[in-house]
């Protein structure tokens, strides 16, 4: 007898579809971010008006930070791309997690569900899920619907019914979690490689600086300044982007953990309530 209304094949298909859509969105965001970064680097930061003599080969005008950033070299567009990706995916995660929480506070919703369960008001708990919406409510609603189904089931023992409800909650959670965690791997990857990319730009800048010092006769002051600027700008952009990505990743991970804890708490309440009420009923009937 199949105790789950959601077959494993359907769950796998839904997860694959969600993953494919997320991958396409991620690729488009990265490509668009690079195009925007390159255009800004080339036509805004590299505009001749930001440099002495109207030539972007010269030093930037005093106090002109756009020209200073341009002197960071060809690594700058890649670092800007990472920065834009962190901002874009952070906004997308904020919207997704806010939607997953539902219309009211998670703690208030879980408290309401527990109160309804203690009063054996399953329909009231389902109504609370419909009002709350979001990932937590979806998982709880799936567990409650299975609760009703198992309450009417007469061909299974209490332990089997409890296991069926637990399995339903686990499957529903497995369908919701990928939506909450998608694109976090990109943020965590940027947190790791942004600093390394900045250091790579720093190395290129120092190579240019020492090449200017190694010239016979008077060192090329412009080349030396450009090399040092390239090194410092890339270091600053790399460290700043990496720090922002680390903060975003840790923040969203903590929020997802809160949602997961709420799902576990509500699921535990459903299982304990069913085991307590229907276990007692079974024992009475046996006597």
């Amino acid at each position: 007898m199949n105790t789950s209304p959601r077959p494993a094949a359907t769950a796998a298909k839904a997860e694959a579809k969600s993953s494919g859509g997320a991958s396409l969105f991620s690729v488009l965001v990265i490509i668009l971010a690079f195009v925007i970064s390159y255009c800004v680097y080339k036509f805004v930061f590299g505009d001749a008006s930001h440099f002495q003599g109207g030539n972007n080969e010269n030093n930037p005008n005093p106090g002109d930070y756009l020209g200073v950033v341009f002197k960071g070299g060809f690594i700058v567009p890649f670092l800007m791309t990472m920065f834009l990706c962190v901002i874009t995916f952070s906004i997308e995660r904020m919207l997704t997690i806010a939607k997953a929480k539902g219309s009211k506070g998670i703690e208030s919703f879980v408290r309401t569900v527990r109160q309804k369960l203690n009063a054996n008001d399953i329909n009231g708990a389902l109504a609370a899920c419909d009002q709350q919406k979001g990932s937590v409510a979806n998982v709880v609603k799936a567990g409650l619907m299975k609760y009703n189904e198992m309450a009417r089931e007469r061909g299974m023992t209490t332990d089997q019914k409890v296991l069926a409800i637990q399995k339903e909650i686990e499957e529903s959670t497995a369908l919701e979690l990928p939506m909450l965690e998608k694109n976090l791997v990109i943020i965590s990857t940027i947190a790791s490689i942004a600093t390394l990319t900045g250091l790579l730009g720093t190395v290129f800048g120092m190579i240019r600086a020492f090449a200017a010092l190694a010239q016979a006769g008077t060192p090329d002051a412009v080349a030396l300044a450009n090399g040092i600027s390239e090194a410092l700008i890339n270091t600053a952009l790399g460290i700043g982007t990496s720090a922002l990505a680390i903060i975003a990743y840790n923040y969203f991970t903590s929020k997802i953990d809160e949602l997961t804890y709420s799902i576990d708490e509500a699921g535990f309440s459903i299982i304990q309530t069913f085991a307590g009420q229907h276990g007692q009923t079974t024992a009475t009937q046996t006597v």
Side-chain angles (χ1 to χ4, degrees):
M1 178 177 180
N2 186 8
T3 60
S4 175
R6 185 182 294 105
T10 303
K13 183 178 179 180
E15 184 174 352
K17 182 178 179 180
S18 175
S19 177
S23 299
L24 178 60
F25 171 77
S26 302
V27 170
L28 291 177
V29 167
I30 293 172
I31 293 175
L32 183 60
F34 178 77
V35 171
I36 293 174
S37 298
Y38 181 80
C39 291
V40 170
Y41 171 78
K42 188 71 174 180
F43 302 109
V44 178
F45 295 164
D47 187 82
S49 61
H50 301 303
F51 301 90
Q52 297 176 3
N55 185 356
N56 59 17
E57 295 294 332
N58 298 331
N59 285 332
N61 294 323
D64 195 326
Y65 292 102
L66 297 182
V68 173
V69 174
F70 179 80
K71 287 301 179 181
F74 71 94
I75 297 293
V76 170
F78 295 97
L79 291 171
M80 290 174 60
T81 299
M82 296 180 193
F83 179 80
L84 290 179
C85 286
V86 171
I87 297 297
T88 303
F89 290 127
S90 295
I91 294 174
E92 185 265 342
R93 285 296 85 200
M94 290 179 64
L95 296 176
T96 300
I97 291 177
K99 183 179 179 181
K101 288 182 177 180
S103 58
K104 297 180 180 179
I106 294 296
E107 293 181 359
S108 176
F109 167 70
V110 174
R111 191 183 309 114
T112 299
V113 171
R114 295 180 68 177
Q115 291 173 353
K116 298 293 185 182
L117 287 173
N118 291 333
N120 199 25
D121 185 8
I122 305 302
N123 292 330
L126 287 170
C129 293
D130 292 334
Q131 185 179 6
Q132 176 72 13
K133 301 180 181 180
S135 296
V136 177
N138 291 339
V139 175
V140 174
K141 183 177 181 179
L144 292 173
M145 293 177 66
K146 196 67 176 179
Y147 184 110
N148 277 337
E149 180 184 341
M150 291 296 102
R152 297 189 299 267
E153 177 63 46
R154 294 294 181 265
M156 301 171 63
T157 64
T158 300
D159 290 340
Q160 290 174 329
K161 294 177 181 180
V162 169
L163 288 175
I165 296 173
Q166 184 177 2
K167 180 181 179 182
E168 178 67 18
I169 294 174
E170 290 175 352
E171 288 182 353
S172 300
T173 303
L175 288 175
E176 295 291 340
L177 282 182
M179 182 190 69
L180 297 176
E181 296 177 346
K182 71 178 183 181
N183 295 330
L184 281 183
V185 65
I186 297 178
I187 296 178
S188 65
T189 302
I190 292 176
S192 300
I193 67 174
T195 303
L196 297 177
T197 305
L199 290 176
L200 181 62
T202 301
V203 171
F204 288 143
M206 295 308 297
I207 290 174
R208 291 182 58 184
F210 283 108
L213 287 175
Q215 291 182 0
T218 304
D220 188 344
V222 174
L224 177 61
N226 287 342
I228 295 175
S229 295
E230 181 175 348
L232 297 179
I233 290 299
N234 284 297
T235 301
L237 287 176
I239 293 176
T241 301
S242 180
L244 181 63
I246 291 173
I247 293 173
Y249 179 80
N250 290 334
Y251 174 79
F252 294 125
T253 300
S254 66
K255 291 299 180 182
I256 292 173
D257 288 342
E258 290 179 7
L259 294 177
T260 304
Y261 175 78
S262 298
I263 291 174
D264 292 340
E265 183 180 3
F268 180 78
S269 298
I270 294 173
I271 294 172
Q272 289 297 105
T273 301
F274 185 92
Q277 295 180 356
H278 294 270
Q280 293 174 0
T281 301
T282 302
T284 301
Q285 291 176 350
T286 302
V287 173

